[in-house]
Amino acid sequence: MRNYWYDNIKGVLVLLVVFGHLLTDVRGAYDDILPKWVYLFLYTFHMPLFIMLSGYFYRENRYLRVIQLFVVYVIWQVILGSWFAFTEGIPIFSLENPGLNLLKPYWALWYLMAIIFWYIITPYVTQLKGYVLYALLFALLFGFQAEATGYFALRKVIMFYPFFLIGNWMSERNTLNFFELPKRAEHRNRYRIGGAIVFTTLTLGLLVSMRVQQDDTFYHIGNLFKFRFAYDTAVPEAMWSGPFAFLIVYTVSLLMSISFALIIPGRQLPIFSRAGQYSLYVYLVHVFFVVAWKAFIPAGFMPTSWMQLLVLFGVAFVMVLVIISPPMVRLLRPLVEIDVKRVQNTKGVKG
């Protein structure tokens, strides 16, 4: 029996992923701070919570899952990278085609690469006492590493890993019982009210703090929450303050993630529950649609930024609906849910 609460959380988050990717170029198309703030707001919690849930559902000794994810990664790296090359007029069979460089995950595929690495190393990392703190310390130290080649999405793999381990730690100690909301309605409401208060307070605090900052501050703080750059780029005015800045980022993201999860209803919500069930489909395929959208639609085609945001949110919602529709799922299943075990059994029979 499926847990609709987790499905709903993943369904909402994957919608925000699509929306956030549609917003990437919009931030520079308008003079006001609204699209920049919305973009920053999304990145404070939507990927950390996604990763925490991945860690929560992680189980050891799943080597077949690792193989399956790697095969899926290779297939979609070639498809999506080549599609980008096609839209940009880059020869498909050239070194400039990002789809042919398997060592550098194309755009959103960094997450799939990260999951593969985390599945491989987590059984060893969790043998350490206090492994979450070790991972956090290593991530904070890695921020001083200025080299960023993009190979294996290494920076994101390391910097986001503490969230994965936090989810795993909560799962092992049954700490996430509060995530599965108590049976009694009054207790559920207390958690939801508490989550709403924390989430709203942090959101308002973020908004107020941004109101007194310069426009370019959005860019730097946004990169902090996305873990894109080393300290010398993310906090260029005071590189040695980087670990403290990132420690604040981890804290804010953790609180935002947990409080946001508590707000989501636990009953079945047809669209979001299905989107959560097929979140990997959406995560992979939406890149195809977003690349096409950016290739043919101007970044700012509405007169005001708030109208642009409404339109793009509607577009993101439609994209999700299309991807999770039964015909599309049936069409994509051979490319997403690759049955590695059946292939293995077939080889065993032939042998």
Side-chain angles (χ1 to χ4, degrees), residues 2 4-5 7-8 11 267-278:
R2 297 196 66 87
Y4 292 123
W5 191 47
D7 282 339
N8 292 339
R267 66 183 183 277
Q268 184 177 14
L269 303 175
I271 294 177
F272 292 108
S273 298
R274 184 173 175 83
Q277 182 179 354
Y278 295 105

Side-chain angles (χ1 to χ4, degrees), residues 277-295:
Q277 182 179 354
Y278 295 105
S279 57
L280 182 57
Y281 286 73
V282 179
Y283 200 90
L284 292 171
V285 182
H286 88 277
V287 177
F288 187 90
F289 290 107
V290 171
V291 168
W293 175 271
K294 291 184 176 184

